[in-house]
Amino acid sequence: MIQPLNVTILGSTGSIGQSTLDVINRHPDRYKVFALSAQSRIESLLEQSITFEPKVVVVPNDEARNKFTALWPTNLKSPEIKVGTQALCDVASDSGCNVVMAAIVGAAGLPSALAAARAGKRVLLANKEALVAAGSLFMAAIRENGAELLPIDSEHNAIFQCLPHDGRASAPNGSAPGVKRLILTASGGPFRTRRISELGSVTPEEACAHPNWSMGKKISVDSATMLNKGLEVIEAHWLFAMPADRINVLIHPQSVVHSMVEYEDGSVLAQLGQPDMRTPIAYGLAFPDRIVSGVGMLDLARAGRLDFSDPDYDQFPCLKLSFDALRAGQGACIALNAANEIAVDAFLNRRIRYLDIAKVIDLTLSNSVIESDLNFNSLEDVLEADQAARKYADEVITSKLNKA
Ligand code: NAD
Ligand code: MG
């Protein structure tokens, strides 16, 4: 009989968190929930906790703790309720859990994802911003502590599946002999066919209406600007030890081919499937086994055709800025991510316009690239640079944007 694995889900109320619970729910013999966490939507955390009976839940503050306690049914045994960022790190590294799903959005997820790596867990990494901000630190923590890293981002999960596995259960090295390029597919988002000049007045609702994937708001806006693909290029660089000029982006509007690996002999291996995150989540949970995910089978005859084209970097300046940041160094990558988080939040709150997102990132990058030679050897160094870039991006929004 298989011993069930205990899973911590950081960000359980989000899109990835909910999909993870959906997969776990199909395999009660294989997985138990150790901890759940949420920043908001405490009612949703409460419902999840009643269903999955975690040992611990983590909430952001005392107000959320009081709300959770007040709503908890008196006839049920309550989970332990912990509060704050350190508690996220604690449940990620607790000896009571084997697997950590890192599904918090943004650099806010970095400390807990790193704590899971340092504790030698199987880390299912959805939180791409952690790798963008602290790739070298994070990958070193995985290696040095015998942790297992399973990429959950669909593109990286696809590439992982298409790379040779030499028996190690951690991410295979893309620069293995014979690998020529990694090809990341991109749907092109809701504005794929619109000229950049037509996007001046698009609303957050339009930007969040992704044609193929249902996701959280931040990543939906990132998909519209294609900054998401830029973050994924940086993510692929760290996960698979691949230089920027051997990572290619290919527009594929149907989101059926999730990414590909090109080999020296002319072979290209691809992973295909429906656009549903439960496939990569199930793969990460069960690796090297395969389990039912709830995702329907792909019907290629019904899909009929698959289209591919090169991206137009003038239409998607955020994609170009991401390649620039990767080539410039870690300081630039931290600034790119931080400025984007600030800009997307301002756009969602209607403080800036859609096309301002790229401007905020560009201006923040120009301010920080000079410092990109600095070493970022600790989490504190990374968080300090992240905070400085956020502050600068805020200043850009309040005082510099309209003068640029
Ligand atoms: P989401 O906004 O739906 O959910 C985010 C979760 O994190 C929620 O549970 C929220 O309460 C929690 N959270 C938010 N801010 C927090 C903070 N400051 N501290 C602690 N917890 C916080 O996001 P999502 O779409 O599920 O994406 C999560 C991560 O996975 C992102 O990094 C995203 O880029 C990545 N990802 C998502 C998808 C997708 O299909 N949704 C695909 C690939 C990668
Ligand atoms: Mg992706």
Side-chain angles (χ1 to χ4, degrees):
M1 207 190 91
I2 311 171
Q3 195 62 17
L5 292 173
N6 293 308
V7 186
T8 285
I9 305 175
L10 304 167
S12 64
T13 53
S15 164
I16 293 288
Q18 291 177 46
S19 294
T20 306
L21 285 171
D22 183 280
V23 177
I24 286 180
N25 206 20
R26 293 165 197 275
H27 304 277
D29 50 331
R30 290 186 74 120
Y31 307 105
K32 299 243 166 303
V33 175
F34 173 74
L36 298 174
S37 92
Q39 182 76 358
S40 54
R41 305 212 293 133
I42 299 303
E43 294 87 349
S44 165
L45 181 69
L46 188 97
E47 272 174 38
Q48 292 180 341
S49 303
I50 291 170
T51 309
F52 291 94
E53 302 177 345
K55 287 215 161 52
V56 190
V57 295
V58 182
V59 295
N61 48 40
D62 287 336
E63 191 190 330
R65 183 217 295 261
N66 294 341
K67 185 167 180 183
F68 190 97
T69 311
L71 292 172
W72 187 262
T74 46
N75 58 334
L76 296 180
K77 183 172 182 292
S78 171
E80 183 184 352
I81 308 168
K82 293 190 173 193
V83 174
T85 313
Q86 183 53 46
L88 291 170
C89 297
D90 293 345
V91 291
S93 54
D94 196 292
S95 59
C97 89
N98 324 89
V99 180
V100 176
M101 165 56 85
I104 290 174
V105 61
L110 170 59
S112 49
L114 192 60
R118 286 179 173 159
K121 304 296 182 192
R122 169 174 286 205
V123 185
L124 310 188
L125 189 71
N127 178 223
K128 63 191 85 185
E129 295 92 345
L131 267 186
V132 171
S136 59
L137 198 65
F138 189 82
M139 294 308 287
I142 293 283
R143 272 193 312 275
E144 288 161 15
N145 297 286
E148 270 183 302
L149 179 55
L150 276 304
I152 297 303
D153 214 348
S154 58
E155 296 75 3
H156 307 75
N157 190 271
I159 288 169
F160 185 93
Q161 294 194 41
C162 296
L163 281 171
H165 291 260
D166 56 7
R168 292 169 306 137
S170 57
N173 192 334
S175 13
V179 174
K180 196 167 162 55
R181 285 188 313 164
L182 305 180
I183 302 168
L184 294 178
T185 53
S187 70
F191 305 141
R192 178 177 55 87
T193 56
R194 308 246 312 248
R195 307 293 305 165
I196 193 167
S197 53
E198 300 167 35
L199 300 178
S201 58
V202 295
T203 62
E205 290 72 23
E206 288 173 274
C208 286
H210 197 282
N212 307 337
W213 297 93
S214 155
M215 310 179 283
K217 277 189 184 160
K218 190 258 178 188
I219 185 175
S220 296
V221 177
D222 289 351
S223 298
T225 61
M226 283 193 77
L227 191 278
N228 180 52
K229 208 51 54 182
L231 297 179
E232 291 181 356
V233 168
I234 302 171
E235 187 185 8
H237 164 76
W238 288 112
L239 280 174
F240 306 116
M242 191 59 89
D245 55 5
R246 286 169 59 201
I247 305 173
N248 203 45
V249 174
L250 189 62
I251 302 284
H252 167 46
Q254 291 90 354
S255 300
V256 166
V257 175
H258 296 310
S259 276
M260 306 180 235
V261 177
E262 182 182 74
Y263 288 88
E264 296 286 358
D265 63 2
S267 299
V268 177
L269 299 193
Q271 186 260 350
L272 284 70
Q274 291 203 20
D276 188 321
M277 290 306 292
R278 290 176 298 175
T279 296
I281 290 168
Y283 183 89
L285 280 168
F287 178 83
D289 295 348
R290 299 268 183 177
I291 56 171
V292 165
S293 66
V295 177
M297 296 299 120
L298 182 62
D299 183 345
L300 278 174
R302 239 179 117 205
R305 58 182 279 178
L306 300 177
D307 297 293
F308 300 95
S309 61
D310 287 324
D312 180 338
Y313 288 85
D314 294 330
Q315 291 299 312
F316 294 101
C318 289
L319 184 56
K320 179 168 181 312
L321 288 169
S322 306
F323 271 101
D324 292 347
L326 178 55
R327 292 194 169 98
Q330 196 180 347
C333 291
I334 295 171
L336 173 91
N337 179 64
N340 180 58
E341 287 192 32
I342 295 292
V344 169
D345 186 66
F347 169 65
L348 287 171
N349 288 305
R350 296 180 161 77
R351 286 177 59 217
I352 62 172
R353 288 151 75 93
Y354 177 76
L355 294 176
D356 291 334
I357 296 173
K359 289 184 198 158
V360 173
I361 298 171
D362 198 0
L363 288 169
T364 309
L365 274 179
S366 332
N367 181 56
S368 59
V369 164
I370 338 146
E371 295 174 32
S372 69
D373 290 338
L374 286 177
N375 286 327
F376 297 92
N377 296 325
S378 69
L379 176 61
E380 291 67 34
D381 291 346
V382 172
L383 295 180
E384 197 180 307
D386 172 82
Q387 283 307 318
R390 278 168 203 270
K391 190 161 169 277
Y392 190 80
D394 250 335
E395 280 167 34
V396 169
I397 289 172
T398 41
S399 58
K400 298 191 174 61
L401 203 50
N402 296 326
K403 293 170 206 140

